[in-house]
Amino acid sequence: MFSSTLPDVHIDDLPVHELVLRTAAANPERRALIDGATGDALTYSELAQAIRSFAGGLAAAGFHHGDVLALFAPNSVHFPVVFHGASMAGLTVTTVNVLSTTADLTKQLADSGAKILVTVSDFLDRATAAALEAEVPVTWTVDAVPGLTSIRDVLQAGEAPPEIAFDVDNDIAALPYSSGTTGVAKGVMLTHRNLVANLAQMQATVSHGPDDTVLAVLPMFHIYGLQVLMNLSLAHGATVVTMSKFELEPYFAALASHRVTRGYVAPPIVVALAKHPIVDEYDLSALRCVYSAAAPLDSELAKAASGRLGVPVVQAYGMTEASPATHFEVLGHEGKPGSVGKLVPNTEARLVDPETGADAETYGEVWVRGPQVMKGYLNKPDATAETIDPEGWLHTGDVATIDSDGDWFIVDRVKELIKYKGYQVAPAELEAELLTHPAIADAAVVGHVLEGEEVPKAFVVRAATAEQLTDVDIMTYISERVAPYKAVRIVEFIETIPKSPSGKILRKDLRAGAR
């Protein structure tokens, strides 16, 4: 068993929205949120008033403590208003992937038991059809739509918020759905205690403050965007600049013009930071650090980006079921290249051999235990029991190593490891090697059965000037850099690597579309 080397932190006995309201009271005139596209802004005082008014509007409309609000919208200055207003009214917020099809949305609305759907006009075709099918009685919009209640309507009414007696250990504040990349999407029940605890744990490593500006380009519907970019920033007085989607030039322009101090990204953005020529056109001198999470980041890629920017580029690790962070690099005390840092405070971990189930000293599946671990999966006791054992250990499904200094390294997913002639091959390791090739813009690796044997297959996106790159070139390049059993044996060229909005490679989509 491993324990965090960082001192335990105090966890406030509060619902999550109270952290933001407390910060607002201390920094009323500081800008809390800025729309990266329009420049529209909310001060902390205005944010607090909007949260209270939205909570009052929900209560006035007949919604009660324990009801579920589905939030199907891109990042905006209104996203935290809806989330924390619903929280203040005692509701649970289930956040919905903006790429969801009508069928996906219908399933989530029905599974979560949503009573109200909040969306945007651009999504109304999917939202209306799904709400009708799932029998969600009320739909509100963020922007104005004739015939529907908008957030502006609710805020202008100025209703007083209800008085709610919260049970922070059991009331579900957020109900995000796990990615479904390795199974059926499930509602992850995160209590107010889970969220508040993890915010305290992360703050002990990153130390946000009122002098920080964060660019929220990763989606707030995802636990990474919700907790790290939105809640952690707002709970400590930082300014959050919102972007509704990632576009290369607007992203770098926003980093420069808003003097962003902290970059929270996924590995695809680190690739751009390290390799894209456009980076040199912008003044990014305000950046103090870049954190990458949601998928493994190659250490050489991190070093290249760090050298180019002149700031640390480090990793963190977690999962939706852990609110999300379990490991973080401590700013100013960065560990080794490729490490996801150390256990966050108030957290224990184990390494368990995936084959035998026995505890291991340096290599195995990561199990974690702490106050950030979810209550369970909604209405799925069997799936909950498979993921959290009777002693409270969350089985992450991720394989890691730990060195003598307590630095952790995520190797890969248990279910994604390739077994070649009895040897385990980690796709992430091969992907990292592929990305070192100057003619490769992006890459992913999956297991592929060839003549009854599972072998590594690479999906490769050629760089713009690399039309002549062949499969033989790639297989030769990799074979010169890895052990023989790890060699790539099949290559397929594709236009783009399918990824979730949080940056995870969708390997099941690659397998489904493989030739």
Side-chain angles (χ1 to χ4, degrees):
M1 187 185 300
F2 304 91
S3 297
S4 174
T5 57
L6 300 172
D8 281 355
V9 294
H10 171 73
I11 299 169
D12 288 310
D13 191 27
L14 295 170
V16 66
H17 60 272
E18 288 292 343
L19 294 182
V20 175
L21 295 176
R22 186 171 66 183
T23 299
N27 302 273
E29 300 310 313
R30 178 170 174 76
R31 290 190 298 181
L33 294 148
I34 302 172
D35 186 305
T38 67
D40 293 342
L42 290 176
T43 65
Y44 270 95
S45 176
E46 292 167 336
L47 173 61
Q49 183 55 51
I51 289 171
R52 294 188 180 97
S53 295
F54 193 77
L58 288 169
F63 297 102
H64 302 99
H65 189 187
D67 285 345
V68 175
L69 178 150
L71 180 50
F72 180 42
N75 292 3
S76 74
V77 297
H78 300 293
F79 198 107
V81 172
V82 175
F83 181 86
H84 288 290
S87 173
M88 192 176 195
L91 276 67
T92 296
V93 179
T94 186
T95 51
V96 185
N97 189 325
V98 298
L99 300 180
S100 294
T101 64
T102 300
D104 294 331
L105 177 57
T106 301
K107 289 177 184 177
Q108 185 167 337
L109 293 175
D111 188 71
S112 64
K115 298 289 184 65
I116 175 174
L117 171 62
V118 177
T119 188
V120 294
S121 58
D122 286 347
F123 296 175
L124 269 180
D125 54 346
R126 290 175 286 165
T128 302
L132 181 65
E133 180 69 20
E135 300 182 349
V136 178
V138 177
T139 298
W140 289 355
T141 56
V142 173
D143 49 341
V145 175
L148 292 176
T149 298
S150 72
I151 288 180
R152 177 173 292 183
D153 298 329
V154 177
L155 300 185
Q156 286 180 342
E159 297 283 355
E163 294 291 332
I164 302 294
F166 287 93
D167 178 355
V168 296
D169 290 311
N170 292 293
D171 285 352
I172 309 304
L175 187 67
Y177 275 64
S178 58
S179 66
T181 54
T182 56
V184 177
K186 300 172 283 293
V188 178
M189 297 188 290
L190 300 178
T191 66
H192 287 275
R193 175 76 73 193
N194 292 151
L195 298 184
V196 170
N198 205 224
L199 293 175
Q201 291 167 314
M202 290 188 289
Q203 177 65 2
T205 68
V206 302
S207 301
H208 270 218
D211 60 341
D212 279 310
T213 299
V214 172
L215 181 56
V217 64
L218 299 179
M220 291 175 176
F221 69 74
H222 187 273
I223 192 65
Y224 183 6
L226 182 75
Q227 275 280 81
V228 184
L229 281 76
M230 186 181 91
N231 285 341
L232 184 63
S233 299
L234 295 178
H236 295 284
T239 296
V240 179
V241 180
T242 66
M243 293 188 71
S244 61
K245 60 183 178 180
F246 175 75
E247 294 176 312
L248 198 64
E249 289 193 37
Y251 173 73
F252 287 113
L255 284 176
S257 63
H258 291 284
R259 305 292 294 164
V260 171
T261 60
R262 295 173 186 261
Y264 289 101
V265 301
I269 297 179
V270 181
V271 173
L273 290 169
K275 294 188 173 186
H276 204 285
I278 197 174
V279 174
D280 297 327
E281 298 177 15
Y282 294 95
D283 177 8
L284 306 183
S285 60
L287 270 177
R288 300 175 192 162
C289 57
V290 174
Y291 288 92
S292 179
L297 176 67
D298 173 53
S299 59
E300 292 302 315
L301 190 63
K303 285 195 288 186
S306 178
R308 191 176 192 189
L309 298 172
V311 301
V313 176
V314 298
Q315 290 193 77
Y317 168 77
M319 58 192 303
T320 305
E321 290 83 348
S323 304
T326 60
H327 298 70
F328 238 104
E329 285 284 12
V330 180
L331 190 60
H333 301 278
E334 292 80 24
K336 303 174 182 67
S339 170
V340 295
K342 301 182 186 298
L343 283 168
V344 297
N346 305 61
T347 302
E348 301 170 298
R350 290 164 63 185
L351 288 173
V352 178
D353 188 307
E355 299 290 335
T356 67
D359 280 296
E361 292 185 2
T362 60
Y363 176 93
E365 181 187 2
V366 183
W367 292 9
V368 295
R369 185 168 63 182
Q372 72 271 47
V373 172
M374 68 172 179
K375 187 175 181 179
Y377 293 120
L378 180 69
N379 299 326
K380 290 181 171 56
D382 291 344
T384 300
E386 290 174 2
T387 304
I388 304 176
D389 67 28
E391 295 181 345
W393 292 103
L394 171 66
H395 301 195
T396 69
D398 285 308
V399 176
T401 62
I402 182 173
D403 66 16
S404 59
D405 296 320
D407 288 308
W408 291 73
F409 302 80
I410 301 300
V411 179
D412 223 302
R413 294 285 299 168
V414 170
K415 293 181 180 179
E416 291 173 352
L417 289 174
I418 299 166
K419 280 288 193 72
Y420 176 70
K421 297 185 182 299
Y423 291 100
Q424 292 183 334
V425 181
E429 180 183 354
L430 292 177
E431 287 156 3
E433 290 292 348
L434 287 163
L435 285 173
T436 64
H437 195 298
I440 293 177
D442 206 354
V445 174
V446 302
H448 180 85
V449 177
L450 180 66
E451 298 178 353
E453 186 76 58
E454 188 179 37
V455 301
K457 176 178 180 178
F459 291 84
V460 171
V461 179
R462 292 184 178 99
T465 58
E467 294 87 355
Q468 303 305 314
L469 183 68
T470 69
D471 56 349
V472 174
D473 294 335
I474 291 170
M475 288 187 283
T476 301
Y477 181 82
I478 293 299
S479 66
E480 292 172 348
R481 287 163 173 77
V482 301
Y485 70 87
K486 296 181 181 180
V488 170
R489 296 169 195 278
I490 307 174
V491 175
E492 182 175 333
F493 292 101
I494 57 177
E495 294 297 319
T496 59
I497 302 296
K499 295 174 183 175
S500 72
S502 63
K504 290 183 179 178
I505 294 171
L506 298 176
R507 301 185 201 279
K508 66 185 178 78
D509 290 359
L510 287 170
R511 294 186 187 99
R515 294 197 302 268

